[in-house]
Amino acid sequence: MYITEDSKVVVQGITGNQGKFHTQLMLEYGTNVIAGVTPKKGGQEVLGVPVFNTVQEAVNEYGVDTSIIFVPARFTYGAVLESLEAGVNMTCIITEGVPVIDMVRLVETAKTKKLHLIGPNTPGMLIPDKIKLGIMPGDMAHFGDVAVIAKSGTLSYEITKALGNADVGVSAYIGIGGDPVRGKTLTEAFDYYVKDQGTKVIVLIGEIGGDDEEKVAQYIKNQKVSKPVVAYIAGKSAPEGKRMGHAGAIISGNVGTAQGKIDALESVGGKVTETPWDIPEAVKTYL
Amino acid sequence: MEVYTIRLLEYESKEIFSDYNIPLADRLVIVKGEDIEEKINQFNFPAIIKSQIAVGSRKKRGLIKIAQTRDEALSMCTEFFSRKVGEYGVEAILIEGLADIKHEYYCSIALDSSGRRFVLIASAEGGIDIEEVAATRPEAIIKQNISLTEGLSEIAAKGVAEKLGFSGENLDLAIDLFMKLWCITTEKEAQLVEINPLVLTPSGLVAVDGKMTLDDNAAFRQELIVKLRKRKLTELEKTAQRVGFSFVELDGEIGILANGAGLTMALLDVLAQHGLAGMNFLDVGGGASKERVYEALKLIYTMNPKAVLINIYGGITRCDIVAEAILQTMKEFPNAPPMVIRLTGTREAEGVAILKNAGIDAYQDMMDAVGKLKEVMC
């Protein structure tokens, strides 16, 4: 389970500007933020939320099971490791610019401990009307049965809001983050919502680069997924990107163009729309 | 829009290889501006003359040649320094002694980002056609996953070296080389360390070419990255990097300021569908400060766009801060080109009100803004 309405949330980096600002927005949304952590600032209160020195203390005191990270990139590795070692089920890394090698290590640790990481450089997760764990606008859409899974932040706000405007409800919104190495891959998040009983349609928001969308297409084919998938891929007009030497091509094959991703998803029955605003109509055909 | 990696030139990669005692041919580096004649007097010929330029296929472009004599080398170097490929010039020349090639191998350690791990990749069929080998005969490519927690074990390195056909003394050399590549990967925070070809000579293994990319995000603890990151960018792109947003110059005539890479790309796609072309990709980044938005707008103005489109969907970015930055810029640039603004998300009401008080309209819907932009451009 990723998060629920009852998740008990600790904010790591709650005394910083971003941490404090978004704690307030999460509290206003109704998220159960019950503790904050900033080393050496234990004993304080921020917006009425008690601050601890360590995640372990917050776990001992309140049984927190979910963490959201607002600490600077250079301290993120330590902060996330602390959350994993305290056994926190889901750690959501908002921070941008975390070194790749730190993320590879954290992903290895999370896998060993069977705990969940999401991000870095992610807007987080939202279950409309229930819980907001992140920095996305809270008023994009109401609760319903369409899951939105995105690589990109703002573009996914755009599309989720378009769903809301078209009166399509959302079962969950999840941003996997824009960095090369992520706690949850697009396929892992997709798999979660394929199995989620409350989700009838999955909206996938991708973009050029990498092979995440191709991997999802492969998964749909291998697992014979019958749940409808509607997608939008950004970057059709982008000039051809630079490639990372030969090894990148050897690992992932010649993939990563918008057209390649569109073809891959369409070949397994996905519906890929021309613009972001065509998504709601395409989704409605399945509801 | 790859913004996470910094590519090293061959001679820069080889300086690192040399620090790690990876065997290289005799070599001489001439940086642009140095006295070529004085430098090559120290070197024996014949030798191979390699342009150091940030483009691929150097051999095919005639940027790598063999010089039989010192005089020939001198004229080649002079010619190479005058060459340009697109926006790139030759930054340095690497001169190397010729290797006595018995066999060419491929080896690298690379980040497999979707697998979220590093992989040691090797092949007994090295040389420039390695991508074709990977595509047509994947069984000729050996891959060994590496756990960061455990590191590359000697047993795993030995396994790969044996599959390449090494035995005896050469087996030990290959294992040692792989272990060194792994040290470079973790210590320099590389996403790719590649040797192609790795050449077997009568005196052992020699890295004839070298390629590396480093993780830009690690700049805060890697001095080398800070030193290298400024090099490949245009002046405008350097400004963007200093202030902290991602920026790429494009061919159109509309200045673009947006937030989020995906949304910015989608915006450029939608403009293209309407026959409009962006002059740039500019993602002002998450949680942009007033100063960052102001600097971004100023940078766009220096490109003389016909119009400017601002598209902000605030999450961690606040619309009120963006609105204040827009006002500040407008005061300073009264003759700026027409601007179409779309503002929605976090602190939307406050942001729209700030602009309205100054007599400026802001759209909440992106398609309305695109429609308005079409009118302006007519």
Side-chain angles (χ1 to χ4, degrees), chain A residues 243-262:
Chain A
R243 284 202 302 169
M244 274 179 51
H246 296 301
I250 294 173
I251 288 173
S252 49
N254 286 315
V255 290
T257 64
Q259 199 54 50
K261 291 171 190 302
I262 292 167

Side-chain angles (χ1 to χ4, degrees), chain B residues 112-132:
Chain B
D112 168 6
S113 52
S114 55
R116 295 171 299 183
R117 63 189 164 216
F118 287 89
V119 187
L120 170 61
I121 305 167
S123 175
E125 299 178 30
I128 50 173
D129 287 330
I130 188 70
E131 282 180 58
E132 204 187 309

Side-chain angles (χ1 to χ4, degrees), chain B residues 138-200:
Chain B
E139 70 281 2
I141 306 276
I142 301 153
K143 293 184 194 174
Q144 171 68 49
N145 294 337
I146 308 170
S147 149
L148 250 180
T149 322
E150 289 157 26
L152 176 64
S153 70
E154 280 210 36
I155 294 170
K158 188 178 175 206
V160 173
E162 282 173 345
K163 280 186 198 154
L164 288 176
F166 286 116
S167 61
E169 215 168 283
N170 289 333
L171 180 70
D172 292 336
L173 290 177
I175 295 168
D176 183 58
L177 181 86
F178 297 154
M179 301 308 284
K180 283 171 178 164
L181 290 185
W182 178 240
C183 285
I184 294 176
T185 305
T186 53
E187 288 174 16
K188 301 292 174 194
E189 304 204 36
Q191 298 190 1
L192 171 70
V193 186
E194 181 180 82
I195 302 175
N196 186 32
L198 170 70
V199 166
L200 182 63

Side-chain angles (χ1 to χ4, degrees), chain B residues 107-301:
Chain B
C107 74
S108 69
I109 291 181
L111 173 72
D112 168 6
S113 52
S114 55
R116 295 171 299 183
R117 63 189 164 216
F118 287 89
V119 187
L120 170 61
I121 305 167
S123 175
E125 299 178 30
I128 50 173
D129 287 330
I130 188 70
E131 282 180 58
E132 204 187 309
V133 175
T136 54
R137 298 194 314 103
E139 70 281 2
I141 306 276
I142 301 153
K143 293 184 194 174
Q144 171 68 49
N145 294 337
I146 308 170
S147 149
L148 250 180
T149 322
E150 289 157 26
L152 176 64
S153 70
E154 280 210 36
I155 294 170
K158 188 178 175 206
V160 173
E162 282 173 345
K163 280 186 198 154
L164 288 176
F166 286 116
S167 61
E169 215 168 283
N170 289 333
L171 180 70
D172 292 336
L173 290 177
I175 295 168
D176 183 58
L177 181 86
F178 297 154
M179 301 308 284
K180 283 171 178 164
L181 290 185
W182 178 240
C183 285
I184 294 176
T185 305
T186 53
E187 288 174 16
K188 301 292 174 194
E189 304 204 36
Q191 298 190 1
L192 171 70
V193 186
E194 181 180 82
I195 302 175
N196 186 32
L198 170 70
V199 166
L200 182 63
T201 70
S203 55
L205 289 167
V206 175
V208 165
D209 197 0
K211 190 179 278 174
M212 283 181 66
T213 66
L214 303 177
D215 175 12
D216 194 32
N217 282 347
F220 68 82
R221 61 189 177 202
Q222 295 283 353
E223 275 175 38
L224 178 66
I225 296 174
V226 179
K227 213 176 85 189
L228 292 169
R229 76 189 326 183
K230 293 195 175 74
R231 196 189 50 215
K232 303 271 169 19
L233 307 171
T234 65
E235 283 307 312
L236 289 177
E237 288 168 353
K238 275 183 199 169
T239 309
Q241 188 152 64
R242 180 172 50 78
V243 186
F245 45 79
S246 34
F247 176 85
V248 180
E249 291 189 61
L250 302 171
D251 293 331
E253 48 195 13
I254 299 163
I256 305 285
L257 188 155
N259 70 323
L263 182 57
T264 313
M265 281 194 280
L267 178 65
L268 288 166
D269 292 348
V270 169
L271 290 179
Q273 281 160 6
H274 286 83
L276 301 167
M279 172 174 273
N280 65 284
F281 166 98
L282 194 159
D283 165 15
V284 77
S289 65
K290 191 173 156 186
E291 194 229 344
R292 212 197 297 167
V293 179
Y294 166 78
E295 290 289 340
L297 268 175
K298 250 179 40 181
L299 185 143
I300 289 171
Y301 286 161

Side-chain angles (χ1 to χ4, degrees), chain A residues 201-267:
Chain A
V201 180
I202 298 176
V203 171
L204 209 61
I205 304 166
E207 63 188 43
I208 50 169
D211 62 352
D212 302 281
E213 296 80 358
E214 289 85 345
K215 286 249 162 84
V216 169
Q218 195 65 44
Y219 172 93
I220 292 172
K221 191 180 165 196
N222 293 347
Q223 304 293 318
K224 302 185 174 65
V225 174
S226 58
K227 213 172 252 192
V229 177
V230 177
Y232 173 76
I233 307 291
K236 288 193 282 277
S237 68
E240 202 177 318
K242 294 169 190 165
R243 284 202 302 169
M244 274 179 51
H246 296 301
I250 294 173
I251 288 173
S252 49
N254 286 315
V255 290
T257 64
Q259 199 54 50
K261 291 171 190 302
I262 292 167
D263 292 346
L265 288 167
E266 283 181 342
S267 75

